[in-house]
Amino acid sequence: MAFLRLDPIDLKILDAIQRDGRITKLALADKVGLSPTPCWMRLRKLEKAGIVSGYRASVAMRLIAPVATVLMQVTLASHRQADFDRFERIIRDIPEVVACWSVGGGVDYVLKVMARDIEAYQRLVDGLLEREIGIDRYFTYIVTKTVKDESVVPVADLLPAQS
């Protein structure tokens, strides 16, 4: 896969819009050291390339209602591609599952579930088990305190070293 090469200004643009998706064109240009038109053209190029995949608001649910955040490990009974596809298709349609990662190691998936309370989470799990979507085992981890939940990706730190 060919990766798009980003220069320091592109990296500054990505950092700025991750921290403030509502930043004005003028403020973004000022922040990255460009005039507005070239800055806007660079941002559009990053969007068209799919590097900027969307803009979202972060909602502080704890200020609205008590919510149970649960991490769930899932192991499927069978490991055929059709089994993975079926599980993933169903999980994508469950709004309480806010993240799902296919992982290597002792389990097949790690899910982040947000439910009204633990009882609502258990009803969701019971419903999944009743649907017989291939779950062999699952393990539940109740989040008792969020230490860090960062949505800003440190793009510059994750790029391969330049030679």
Side-chain angles (χ1 to χ4, degrees):
M1 174 182 215
F3 293 104
L4 194 67
R5 289 187 62 87
L6 302 176
D7 66 19
I9 292 177
D10 292 326
L11 297 175
K12 286 180 183 177
I13 290 171
L14 292 174
D15 186 65
I17 64 170
Q18 283 187 90
R19 294 178 191 284
D20 181 3
R22 296 179 65 172
I23 192 169
T24 66
K25 294 179 204 178
L26 193 58
L28 179 61
D30 185 53
K31 193 172 209 77
V32 303
L34 283 179
S35 59
T37 300
C39 181
W40 185 247
M41 289 171 56
R42 280 177 176 256
L43 178 57
R44 300 299 294 166
K45 180 183 90 174
L46 294 168
E47 290 171 344
K48 285 184 181 182
I51 293 170
V52 176
S53 59
Y55 296 88
R56 295 170 186 82
S58 180
V59 177
M61 277 304 300
R62 63 183 170 69
L63 299 177
I64 300 170
V67 175
T69 302
V70 180
L71 300 179
M72 178 182 182
Q73 293 179 332
V74 173
T75 303
L76 298 183
S78 178
H79 291 101
R80 295 172 302 165
Q81 189 60 49
D83 299 311
F84 291 119
D85 292 344
R86 182 181 68 233
F87 178 84
E88 292 171 14
R89 186 176 53 255
I90 289 168
I91 290 302
R92 279 188 198 100
D93 290 336
I94 300 172
E96 295 90 347
V97 178
V98 296
C100 177
W101 301 276
S102 174
V103 297
V107 297
D108 297 317
Y109 295 95
V110 175
L111 290 70
K112 180 179 178 183
V113 180
M114 295 186 74
R116 281 194 181 101
D117 51 36
I118 300 304
E119 291 79 19
Y121 165 75
Q122 190 58 55
R123 284 191 301 276
L124 182 132
V125 171
D126 292 343
L128 289 173
L129 295 172
E130 286 174 12
R131 290 175 76 173
E132 297 183 8
I133 62 171
I135 297 175
D136 181 38
R137 293 180 318 201
Y138 72 94
F139 301 92
T140 297
Y141 304 93
I142 309 300
V143 175
T144 58
K145 178 171 93 173
T146 299
V147 176
K148 182 176 183 179
D149 188 8
E150 188 64 51
S151 61
V152 175
V153 177
V155 178
D157 296 335
L158 298 175
L159 292 177
Q162 302 289 328
S163 53

